[in-house]
Amino acid sequence: MTELVPVRLTMRLFGGFSVTRDGVRVPGLHLREGERLLAYLALHHSTPITYRTLAGLFWPSEARSESGEFPSTRQAIYSLRQHLGDDAGILASVGKGVVQLNLDGVDCDLLTFDTHAASPEPQDWQRALARAEAPLLEGWSEVWAVEARQRRARIAQRLRERTSATSPTETVALETTGGAVLPGSRFYIERPADREFADAIARRDSIVLVKGPRQIGKTSLLARGLEQARQQGTRVVLTDVQALPEACLATPDVFFRFLARTLALELEIPFHPADDWPGDLPPQTNLEMFLQSRILAADPSPVIWALDETDRLLSSPFASDIFGLFRSWHNRRALKPSSSWSRLTLAIGYATEAHLFILDANQSPFNVGTRATLSDFTLSQLAELNQRYGSPLATQSSLERVHALTAGHPYLTRCCLDALTSRTATLEHLESEGSRDEGPFGDHLRRLLSGVHASSELAASLRTLLSGTPRVPIDHFYRLRSAGIIAGESADAVSLRCRLYQDYFTRHLNS
């Protein structure tokens, strides 16, 4: 394993811009727009930034080129890494033509300010204000620098107002937004899909499909439903396919053996390769025999095996072996309803349209069983969530304004309520600045834009939508809907998922 080089950098953005290593200013960063480039990346730390975005800011003529080469941008990134020396690892390439600045271990006043400003604790607000005694990037006139400066100035002013209040108010303990919501969280809102999932588990259906676009709450629903099943005495196994190491998908034998080991580990039963994995049998047969004899037949209690983020398997060269096997288990239950297979339920979470990858319908588990389809929050569900946050939206009109902005997108809705509850933003600020790169949703929006920029065809389809034509090619429809960018029931009647996306992509794709 490569030994990590300790980061010894100190980065200051309030009052100007400086980068020092062990107290000595890092030389040469002013060359080739080095300071401007590093400052912009620092403002968007931990977020993938495309070369095209950087070229648009610093070398506009290159951004307009169709070649996609961006030589000045590439040279500037190379030069920046050279000047960072041993600390160049903080500037990582995370894809073709995409970089990301990671500030872990760097003493950066911007990172400290943002972290403490988002805290619910008053003492942290004081720490944030201590970092913001001078304006952010003072004297810099670039639009992105001015917007970032103004945003932090507004946050600092709100923190001063809060710390100067004479009487304390009740503070709602916020949770981290993003990723799965804990099963016992006060901020979890049940939707019809929750009841559909719970009923299917109670009936011990063979296959339960949990479908929905990115960041709509599939993993949270699975976590909550599985916890309820555990309390009812059901044996539970959860496999997060997205988290599997690439090596686990190398060959069918490696993959199916890994699944067998996962089942054994989760259910606390031994796995003996010499006995449980004969070398003269196909790997899917070995997995099936292990599941039937060692798990289902050996214990009369039901088993739920949840596989989350299964989209990753659809493009596997042996996807037909995987999903054909799952379908065969469903068929066995129908053919032998009194067999041990009646005790197995597969819960499959996914976003992609599986029929685009599995051409033989008889080999697909995605057209049988029970489907629980997640949808965005309704206005009444938003109102319920607002109450759990302490009602930062005090009027029906304000509820409607947030719903109009996010269309009930679960992640964006919680971001809004987090910001309003912690007073790091007002509703007016969310509406006016929400679709800007330096706005409160900038990181989320830039990630979506990076994905769209990776395909010129998808970008062209979005431009068509933004021009007022509510239709896209069928394959683009499924890809954009799975990514959570568009909404609609068919390729001939689609729209951007929410007003925030409409405004953001209009600015970036139609400019």
Side-chain angles (χ1 to χ4, degrees):
M1 180 179 294
T2 303
E3 183 178 355
L4 295 177
V5 178
V7 177
R8 299 161 291 149
L9 290 181
T10 298
M11 190 177 299
R12 295 286 176 262
L13 288 88
F14 285 91
F17 185 77
S18 65
V19 182
T20 58
R21 180 187 294 114
D22 293 338
V24 179
R25 190 178 182 92
V26 176
L29 289 180
H30 64 283
L31 300 176
R32 295 185 180 274
E33 293 286 350
E35 284 193 342
R36 261 44 179 181
L37 184 60
L38 185 57
Y40 181 85
L41 292 171
L43 291 174
H44 306 92
H45 62 87
S46 302
T47 300
I49 304 294
T50 65
Y51 282 9
R52 183 177 295 276
T53 297
L54 297 175
L57 291 170
F58 302 103
W59 301 276
S61 61
E62 283 191 0
R64 292 190 291 269
S65 171
E66 295 298 325
S67 67
E69 294 297 327
F70 313 115
S72 297
T73 305
R74 295 180 184 277
Q75 179 59 41
I77 293 292
Y78 172 82
S79 178
L80 182 54
R81 288 194 175 111
Q82 291 293 107
H83 290 296
L84 288 173
D86 290 342
D87 299 307
I90 67 173
L91 183 55
S93 294
V94 295
K96 184 178 180 181
V98 183
V99 293
Q100 178 176 302
L101 185 70
N102 300 308
L103 293 180
D104 293 341
V106 178
D107 178 13
C108 178
D109 55 3
L110 173 71
L111 181 61
T112 301
F113 175 86
D114 288 346
T115 300
H116 288 317
S119 169
E121 301 298 330
Q123 59 267 32
D124 286 334
W125 307 337
Q126 295 287 2
R127 296 187 183 105
L129 290 172
R131 294 283 183 159
E133 293 180 352
L136 183 75
L137 295 176
E138 187 174 21
W140 289 35
S141 59
E142 291 83 354
V143 172
W144 53 268
V146 172
E147 290 177 343
R149 180 162 60 244
Q150 292 174 343
R151 179 189 173 202
R152 267 60 178 207
R154 287 191 294 267
I155 293 174
Q157 180 58 34
R158 285 191 289 272
L159 292 178
R160 294 186 187 97
E161 293 171 357
R162 295 188 70 183
T163 54
S164 64
T166 57
S167 58
T169 58
E170 181 182 358
T171 300
V172 175
L174 300 179
E175 300 172 0
T176 301
T177 302
V181 180
L182 294 174
S185 170
R186 67 184 293 178
F187 301 122
Y188 187 91
I189 297 295
E190 286 195 0
R191 288 167 277 177
D194 288 271
R195 176 47 51 195
E196 294 165 1
F197 183 82
D199 290 345
I201 295 302
R203 292 192 304 265
R204 299 184 186 177
D205 288 1
S206 60
I207 293 177
V208 186
L209 304 168
V210 181
K211 187 174 185 298
R214 307 295 181 194
Q215 293 189 307
I216 201 169
K218 297 187 297 297
T219 303
S220 300
L221 182 149
L222 282 173
R224 188 177 178 89
L226 296 180
E227 181 58 30
Q228 292 170 350
R230 289 188 187 95
Q231 295 172 4
Q232 296 165 2
T234 300
R235 292 179 290 167
V236 171
V237 177
L238 174 61
T239 302
D240 183 356
V241 178
Q242 194 63 42
L244 297 185
E246 195 65 35
C248 290
L249 303 173
T251 67
D253 187 72
V254 170
F255 176 70
F256 286 113
R257 187 191 295 247
F258 176 83
L259 292 184
R261 289 184 179 276
T262 297
L263 289 167
L265 181 63
E266 292 275 337
L267 298 176
E268 298 182 346
I269 62 175
F271 176 75
H272 303 296
D275 300 323
D276 296 324
W277 209 261
D280 59 340
L281 293 178
Q284 58 265 47
T285 300
N286 283 334
L287 174 63
E288 182 175 282
M289 292 173 57
F290 178 77
L291 177 59
Q292 183 177 24
S293 63
R294 299 293 303 281
I295 296 175
L296 298 178
D299 189 323
S301 58
V303 175
I304 297 175
W305 186 5
L307 297 107
D308 196 16
E309 301 286 357
T310 55
D311 308 77
R312 186 181 180 194
L313 300 178
L314 289 169
S315 58
S316 167
F318 47 91
S320 59
D321 293 336
I322 300 170
F323 294 111
L325 183 62
F326 295 164
R327 173 62 180 261
S328 73
W329 297 344
H330 167 80
N331 294 341
R332 283 173 185 249
R333 284 188 55 164
L335 295 171
K336 297 181 178 180
S338 60
S339 70
S340 59
W341 289 104
S342 64
R343 293 196 287 275
L344 173 67
T345 295
L346 288 180
I348 302 176
Y350 67 109
T352 305
E353 298 295 331
H355 69 270
L356 299 177
F357 297 86
I358 304 176
L359 301 182
D360 185 350
N362 295 320
Q363 292 293 307
S364 174
F366 295 97
N367 53 16
V368 294
T370 302
R371 187 186 304 272
T373 302
L374 279 164
S375 56
D376 289 326
F377 291 148
T378 64
L379 185 59
S380 62
Q381 289 163 349
L382 168 59
E384 180 182 352
L385 184 59
N386 177 58
Q387 290 180 347
R388 299 186 188 187
Y389 269 89
S391 298
L393 298 170
T395 66
Q396 181 66 21
S397 174
S398 60
L399 285 168
E400 292 172 353
R401 288 165 62 186
V402 167
H403 198 265
L405 183 66
T406 67
H409 186 304
Y411 171 74
L412 295 177
T413 298
R414 283 201 60 191
C415 285
C416 286
L417 292 173
D418 281 346
L420 294 169
T421 302
S422 62
R423 300 186 185 180
T424 56
T426 64
L427 179 52
E428 292 74 17
H429 176 72
L430 295 174
E431 291 175 317
S432 63
E433 303 296 321
S435 63
R436 305 189 69 85
D437 282 308
E438 305 303 325
F441 312 110
D443 291 346
H444 170 81
L445 296 171
R446 283 190 297 274
R447 280 192 289 271
L448 292 179
L449 183 63
S450 294
V452 171
H453 274 318
S455 169
S456 59
E457 294 179 342
L458 288 184
S461 286
L462 273 184
R463 290 190 183 95
T464 299
L465 279 179
L466 294 170
S467 70
T469 302
R471 64 180 62 90
V472 295
I474 186 69
D475 57 329
H476 295 181
F477 165 70
Y478 288 128
R479 290 170 64 186
L480 290 168
R481 190 172 69 169
S482 298
I485 296 175
I486 65 172
E489 295 302 318
S490 75
D492 295 323
V494 297
S495 62
L496 272 293
R497 186 173 175 186
C498 61
R499 196 187 84 195
L500 189 64
Y501 289 178
Q502 178 81 26
D503 295 345
Y504 182 77
F505 284 108
T506 296
R507 175 178 292 110
H508 284 274
L509 296 182
N510 281 354
S511 58

